[in-house]
Amino acid sequence: MTQTIAAFDNGMKARIGFFKDIGHALYAFGDDTILVKPAYYGQPDRYDVALNLGRPGDTSGYRLTGLHIGDWFLTGTVLCTGLDFTLVPHPHTPKANPLADITDPDARQDAASFLAQIAGHFHGTLASATKW
């Protein structure tokens, strides 16, 4: 497992563990840990990244916790797609959007931008290092 650190526009820093052989990365923001992976294996030219935010009591084996962004606590899974990594519900959970509970439009946009940055970092920096 390769380890690195990344800083994002909102000032948050992630400690990243990258599993090159399977193309998955764990992004740890303090006590919060999320799983980032390609949405479509075998198609590295697709701009699609899945973010599993986890939840308390996660049983995935990765100890995913959910993600605190400002006053909000996000759980679940999202898909970031397209050149700008726009957030859309994951196909496996089409009716569950982790951002749906954020009532403040500015906070929702900030959270969406942050998740898109994570997806962009993964796709541009880590995913190119593996054959997925």
Side-chain angles (χ1 to χ4, degrees):
M1 175 173 61
T2 304
Q3 297 256 342
T4 188
I5 294 179
F8 295 92
D9 291 349
N10 64 1
M12 291 181 75
K13 292 183 180 178
R15 188 180 72 252
I16 303 164
F18 180 56
F19 301 92
K20 186 176 179 181
D21 56 336
I22 58 173
H24 293 180
L26 293 173
Y27 281 64
F29 298 91
D31 293 334
D32 296 343
T33 302
I34 65 171
L35 174 66
V36 183
K37 59 186 178 179
Y40 299 100
Y41 291 90
Q43 301 177 37
D45 55 329
R46 289 187 74 163
Y47 288 88
D48 297 311
V49 174
L51 294 138
N52 184 338
L53 306 174
R55 65 191 181 289
D58 177 68
T59 59
S60 69
Y62 288 115
R63 295 186 180 122
L64 306 178
T65 58
L67 183 62
H68 289 87
I69 300 177
D71 294 336
W72 302 97
F73 180 62
L74 305 178
T75 61
T77 304
V78 295
L79 183 67
C80 297
T81 187
L83 293 175
D84 59 353
F85 295 103
T86 302
L87 267 68
V88 296
H90 193 278
H92 295 157
T93 56
K95 295 182 186 205
N97 181 351
L99 303 182
D101 292 335
I102 301 177
T103 55
D104 177 4
D106 292 333
R108 187 179 312 114
Q109 182 56 49
D110 289 346
S113 294
F114 179 51
L115 294 174
Q117 281 182 15
I118 294 169
H121 177 269
F122 174 81
H123 192 274
T125 306
L126 300 174
S128 60
T130 188
K131 294 179 182 177
W132 44 283

